[in-house]
Amino acid sequence: APSGESMLFDAGWPASPARPASTDRIVEVAKAAGLKRIDNVVISHFDTDHIGDVPQLASKFPVGRIYDHGDAQANNPQAKQRFAAYSELREKYEHRALKAGDKIPVKGLDIEVLSSGGKFISAPLKNAGAGAKNPLCDTTKQADIRATDFEDDQSLGLLIRFGKFRMLDLADLEAHYSRDLVCPANLIGTVDLYNVNVHGQFKGIAPELAGAIAAPVMIQANGARKGADAQTWPVLRATPGLKDVWQLHLSVSAGNGANPPEDLIANLEPPAGSAVPDTFKWLQISAASDGTFTVTNTRNGFSRKYKRQDK
């Protein structure tokens, strides 16, 4: 934030035989932003690719407060082991379990919790378009619940506001429950930037949500072979007023017809036989209080500036 206070939303992956932990990349970005510590660490939910390795992170870079949705409820032994190490670490810090309607106190920003632990806000936000009836609710069938993905639907979902700029990030909240935020009335309103649910996996795509928030710019935080599904692409592209969809990786499975231009992709598919599976580049978003924001691809320096549209 302009105040100098910082927030990290999720910690990526822990180390595995297939990949290094995300910790060093987080530290690299934090240092690039001029940070001396991460004041607020927010863990949306306890799946492997979000809880990451917070103890390792805290050992490499100072952290302040820790927020999450509560305790893990999965009966998976691996999940329990992963959560146990995280839980032990968070007891050493100021920790708070967030509820829908809470705010995360970052000086200079307005960060509101829309979902947490399977509960959701029930009243419209003070935001443009919030409270209006959503006609897409009458024409779109609600997606089925995926019981096997229980932890996804515990996700903390955030609306981040800086002046007139508004960014929506619902983490891994899946399509069935995303509907509860915009049907029968749109409780969120419209936003300027949308980090697409569940890395762009189709199970997280609710047309009634995408249409209601009417984000002109979207980001799919996908991997080369995870997320940014081919079925997702036409739903996003049908959003009225959409200008661009950016991606962290080229989606190999989606193919050329369901990927944006290469300038809007931070990591391209490595050459066959390459020993380096990923270049670990990121997308940087810089926002101004008048709602103007710029997205920059750190792989090639390409950037695009967007002016806020009054809606």
Side-chain angles (χ1 to χ4, degrees):
S3 64
E5 193 171 354
S6 57
M7 182 185 83
L8 172 70
F9 193 31
D10 285 338
W13 290 94
S16 74
R19 65 172 60 83
S22 300
T23 303
D24 287 343
R25 302 200 299 270
I26 293 170
V27 171
E28 179 185 3
V29 175
K31 289 181 176 179
L35 301 182
K36 301 299 184 184
R37 78 167 193 163
I38 298 171
D39 298 293
N40 304 278
V41 175
V42 182
I43 302 300
S44 67
H45 64 298
F46 305 126
D47 278 348
T48 308
D49 57 329
H50 292 258
I51 194 173
D53 193 333
V54 179
Q56 184 189 68
L57 174 63
S59 73
K60 291 192 172 188
F61 201 80
V63 302
R65 298 171 291 273
I66 297 177
Y67 299 91
D68 53 39
H69 69 66
D71 291 332
Q73 301 181 45
N75 293 319
N76 184 317
Q78 184 181 5
K80 285 186 175 181
Q81 183 179 12
R82 182 172 65 247
F83 178 74
Y86 164 75
S87 179
E88 182 180 353
L89 181 280
R90 76 180 184 183
E91 295 306 315
K92 300 176 183 178
Y93 292 84
E94 180 183 343
H95 165 252
R96 179 181 168 195
L98 295 166
K99 297 179 180 178
D102 284 348
K103 292 197 176 186
I104 301 174
V106 178
K107 187 178 180 181
L109 302 180
D110 184 355
I111 304 175
E112 191 154 4
V113 179
L114 310 188
S115 64
S116 178
K119 305 294 184 181
F120 309 93
I121 57 169
S122 57
L125 301 176
K126 294 179 180 179
N127 195 25
K133 186 179 186 305
N134 183 359
L136 293 171
C137 302
D138 297 329
T139 58
T140 307
K141 179 183 179 297
Q142 185 168 16
D144 294 335
I145 296 175
R146 296 169 58 95
T148 56
D149 295 343
F150 176 83
E151 187 60 35
D152 277 355
D153 291 321
Q154 303 301 297
S155 288
L156 291 171
L158 306 180
L159 181 69
I160 302 170
R161 288 182 276 206
F162 171 50
K164 295 181 178 180
F165 173 76
R166 297 152 301 180
M167 176 178 175
L168 179 67
D169 190 337
L170 298 176
D172 276 3
L173 191 66
E174 295 188 2
H176 178 90
Y177 291 106
S178 295
R179 183 184 178 97
D180 291 348
L181 291 169
V182 294
C183 288
N186 177 6
L187 301 182
I188 301 172
T190 56
V191 303
D192 303 294
L193 181 63
Y194 169 41
N195 188 34
V196 179
N197 297 34
V198 204
H199 317 282
Q201 293 181 74
F202 189 62
K203 65 183 181 180
I205 305 305
E208 57 271 42
L209 171 71
I213 62 175
V217 182
M218 302 182 184
I219 289 177
Q220 299 200 83
N222 65 308
R225 292 171 177 81
K226 178 177 181 176
D229 294 344
Q231 307 99 303
T232 296
W233 191 251
V235 178
L236 301 185
R237 295 298 302 174
T239 302
L242 180 70
K243 293 181 178 179
D244 287 316
V245 176
W246 296 69
Q247 290 179 185
L248 281 188
H249 291 80
L250 179 87
S251 177
V252 176
S253 60
N256 292 334
N259 275 284
E262 288 189 356
D263 277 344
L264 307 189
I265 304 174
N267 298 278
L268 302 178
E269 176 70 355
S274 171
V276 180
D278 198 328
T279 55
F280 301 131
K281 298 301 181 181
W282 63 91
L283 298 173
Q284 177 178 304
I285 301 105
S286 300
S289 60
D290 65 0
T292 300
F293 64 101
T294 300
V295 183
T296 301
N297 183 346
T298 65
R299 173 178 61 81
N300 59 4
F302 177 83
S303 66
R304 189 163 283 173
K305 186 174 183 178
Y306 302 92
K307 293 184 178 180
R308 184 175 185 275
Q309 296 177 335
D310 291 323
K311 306 166 188 174

